[in-house]
Amino acid sequence: MDFDIDIDGWPAEVEWDALTVRAHAALCGVEPALGNPRLTASVLFTSDADVHALNKEWRGKDKPTNVLSFGYGDVPELLGDLVFCGPVVAEEARAQGKPPLHHWAHLTTHGLLHLSGYDHELSSDAEIMEAEEIAILATLGIP
């Protein structure tokens, strides 16, 4: 799996290469389709304002958020786009008392699961997705 990354907004304290290698390895164990070496995901790190605008336009939510996922179900080689808001992720990690790498790993996993077809709109789907996140993060040694 390849990642096309706009690195401008990536926080220096989190090593992207280490995070993606670990997340990919864990996800391939749970979601075998992600093991396809032809898959590509695009990753953008951007500002509160940009994520706010995207969240409002595509989800009807008038606020910034931590990560947005845009899947390409009709293009088999393209898994989709992940859009991260570094300031929101950093503030959440601080507020929740989590190491930044752990929170980034969680949100990367969360976004990639969305691109793999998981959802959390219904509580029953949320339970399934959360169980997958917990299992994946456990393989990375992240509580």
Side-chain angles (χ1 to χ4, degrees):
M1 170 181 259
D2 291 323
F3 290 95
D4 177 20
I5 304 167
D6 178 347
I7 202 78
D8 289 339
W10 181 250
E13 72 271 11
V14 180
E15 295 180 30
W16 174 254
D17 290 339
L19 175 60
T20 56
V21 166
R22 293 173 70 199
H24 179 252
L27 282 161
C28 286
V30 175
E31 187 62 49
L34 289 176
N36 179 346
R38 296 179 58 208
L39 290 178
T40 299
S42 176
V43 181
L44 171 67
F45 301 97
T46 193
S47 67
D48 282 5
D50 288 344
V51 167
H52 187 151
L54 288 168
N55 202 24
K56 185 175 182 181
E57 178 179 353
W58 294 100
R59 296 182 63 231
K61 309 240 180 195
D62 194 11
K63 62 181 182 176
T65 190
N66 48 27
V67 63
L68 294 169
S69 305
F70 299 95
Y72 297 142
D74 56 343
V75 183
E77 294 81 23
L78 294 176
L79 192 56
D81 298 332
L82 293 178
V83 179
F84 289 95
C85 182
V88 170
V89 176
E91 177 53 35
E92 287 176 349
R94 274 192 297 279
Q96 297 171 20
K98 294 180 182 176
L101 179 61
H102 289 188
H103 198 47
W104 279 103
H106 175 216
L107 293 175
T108 301
T109 300
H110 185 86
L112 287 170
L113 283 173
H114 271 306
L115 294 180
S116 300
Y118 289 83
D119 202 352
H120 52 77
E121 291 300 314
L122 301 174
S123 61
S124 57
D125 292 336
E127 289 175 15
I128 293 168
M129 187 171 179
E130 184 175 357
E132 293 294 340
E133 289 172 352
I134 290 168
I136 291 165
L137 292 171
T139 69
L140 301 173
I142 296 174

